[in-house]
Amino acid sequence: MANKNLHLPAIRGQYKYNEPMKNYTWLNVGGPAEVMFFPQDIKDLQKFMREKPQDTDVFVLGGGSNLLVRDQGIHGVVIKMSGPEFSRCVVEDGFLCCDAGMKNFNLKDVLLKNQIGGLEFLCSIPGSIGGAVKGNAGCFGSSMSDVTDRVSVMDGAGNIFTVSSDQLGFDYRQSHFPSDWIILKVWLKYEKSTVADIQNKIDAQRQYRLDHQPQGIRTAGSTFKNPQGFRAWELIQKSGVAQLKVGGAKMSDKHCNFIENDGTASAAEIESLCDQIIWTVKEKTGVCLEWEIQRIGEGKDN
Ligand SMILES: Cc1cc2nc3c(=O)[nH]c(=O)nc-3n(C[C@H](O)[C@H](O)[C@H](O)COP(=O)(O)OP(=O)(O)OC[C@H]3O[C@@H](n4cnc5c(N)ncnc54)[C@H](O)[C@@H]3O)c2cc1C
């Protein structure tokens, strides 16, 4: 699938061709990315964006925790901002300024060290800060829209600028901003707290997940959004499809809105199981479930 004649610019980072996306997604499925680009730093990313052929398809990958990549893979270039230049986090003028590639899990140490409260919820959400902004990630009563002050963005032409939170079009588990924007940095609002309070909150939230959500298994969090006035898991249970299986894909016994891959499922099997659930829930309850997991790449429907 890889086309090494894409005429991509010379960069200081790394290109990888035909890179299996299953290695970068929590669901552990997905065919190859035609090209994966690991920029060395922001300047390197900017050079790439400025010099790439205009018709190059670009997809920005975060932690891969909210993605179903289809079996035939992804055309174009998948950008992965990882490494120290994309993972810094500093207290700056009363805000916590995090690079987009930073893992949410790594926030915990920063919060404890600086006695920063109000961001504990983010420490338990898999993925990166950039992905959390894009999906307006949230849990335990807080979401990114509550804590984001502003973000630094690079557009498709390589221009870098800062926009305020209200320009991101935050909504329930989504945002609405131009599709060529790459989030580079996020300034988060916080409140002063104590080590004990922060640790207690993190521990309680961790325990809640251990008790109520599948652990140590290939999943991507909530599969469907909660429709207005309903809970997706209740609709799935009520419709009698919580036990459905397609190949190696099934809904979790612990939380039937979490899909599980037993290690053998293909993306097509996962998608097919979810489609069956959507149809049945619609037929039995009249409510149409909407995917929370983002599906990308070539396969089932194309
Ligand atoms: C076990 C488990 C539990 C979960 N619990 C929760 C939960 O409680 N609450 C919740 O909201 N979610 C939850 N999720 C889902 C997921 O963790 C979040 O949606 C997360 O914020 C996705 O971030 P990511 O970096 O993995 O993004 P990815 O999955 O890699 O990408 C998601 C989207 O973000 C875009 N994106 C990523 N980085 C950037 C960037 N720098 N600039 C522009 N766009 C970008 C991608 O292009 C893609 O469109 C859970 C997932 C798992 C596996």
Side-chain angles (χ1 to χ4, degrees), residues 1 3 6 29 34-36 41 50 59 79 91 98 153 156 177 179 199 209 218 240-241 247 249 254 259 297 299:
M1 179 181 176
N3 172 9
L6 267 178
V29 293
E34 192 172 4
V35 180
M36 248 180 119
D41 50 33
R50 284 183 172 155
F59 177 81
I79 296 175
V91 178
C98 304
V153 165
F177 54 77
S179 58
Q199 190 68 60
R209 285 191 189 265
R218 298 166 178 96
V241 281
K254 214 164 177 185
I259 198 137

Side-chain angles (χ1 to χ4, degrees), residues 26 59-67 81 100 125-128 130-132 134 137-139 173 181-183 209 219-221 258 294:
W26 274 62
F59 177 81
V60 184
L61 177 69
S65 64
N66 198 36
L67 293 180
M81 296 187 289
I125 301 179
S128 64
K134 175 75 177 182
C139 55
R173 296 295 169 265
W181 282 13
I182 301 174
I183 309 281
R209 285 191 189 265
T219 182
F258 278 58
Q294 190 185 341

Side-chain angles (χ1 to χ4, degrees), residues 141-265:
S142 300
S143 54
M144 289 304 283
S145 53
D146 302 318
V147 298
T148 302
D149 181 73
R150 61 195 191 277
V151 301
S152 163
V153 165
M154 185 183 295
D155 69 13
N159 303 306
I160 297 177
F161 48 94
T162 301
V163 298
S164 64
S165 165
D166 55 13
Q167 288 170 273
L168 296 171
F170 280 130
D171 202 348
Y172 169 52
R173 296 295 169 265
Q174 57 187 325
S175 56
H176 300 279
F177 54 77
S179 58
D180 67 340
W181 282 13
I182 301 174
I183 309 281
L184 301 175
K185 278 176 201 274
V186 184
W187 283 266
L188 297 168
K189 298 180 260 190
Y190 65 83
E191 54 209 40
K192 278 309 269 183
S193 187
T194 62
V195 168
D197 260 14
I198 297 162
Q199 190 68 60
N200 286 342
K201 276 193 189 145
I202 289 175
D203 289 347
Q205 293 173 355
R206 183 164 178 276
Q207 193 57 48
Y208 180 90
R209 285 191 189 265
L210 285 172
D211 293 343
H212 296 94
Q213 298 177 1
Q215 303 294 320
I217 189 110
R218 298 166 178 96
T219 182
S222 296
T223 308
F224 303 107
K225 295 181 184 177
N226 286 324
Q228 187 89 42
F230 297 95
R231 286 172 188 277
W233 69 266
E234 278 177 352
L235 294 168
I236 293 169
Q237 216 162 55
K238 201 167 138 190
S239 305
V241 281
Q243 316 292 330
L244 266 189
K245 270 184 104 170
V246 176
K250 68 187 266 287
M251 301 316 277
S252 164
D253 294 334
K254 214 164 177 185
H255 191 314
C256 65
N257 192 27
F258 278 58
I259 198 137
E260 289 181 359
N261 171 8
D262 71 3
T264 66

Side-chain angles (χ1 to χ4, degrees), residues 45-79:
L45 176 62
Q46 189 173 40
K47 180 173 191 290
F48 172 84
M49 295 306 284
R50 284 183 172 155
E51 295 179 13
K52 69 178 167 45
Q54 279 209 334
D55 58 354
T56 310
D57 290 330
V58 165
F59 177 81
V60 184
L61 177 69
S65 64
N66 198 36
L67 293 180
L68 176 63
V69 180
R70 295 192 174 107
D71 299 313
Q72 307 308 315
I74 301 180
H75 280 303
V77 180
V78 172
I79 296 175

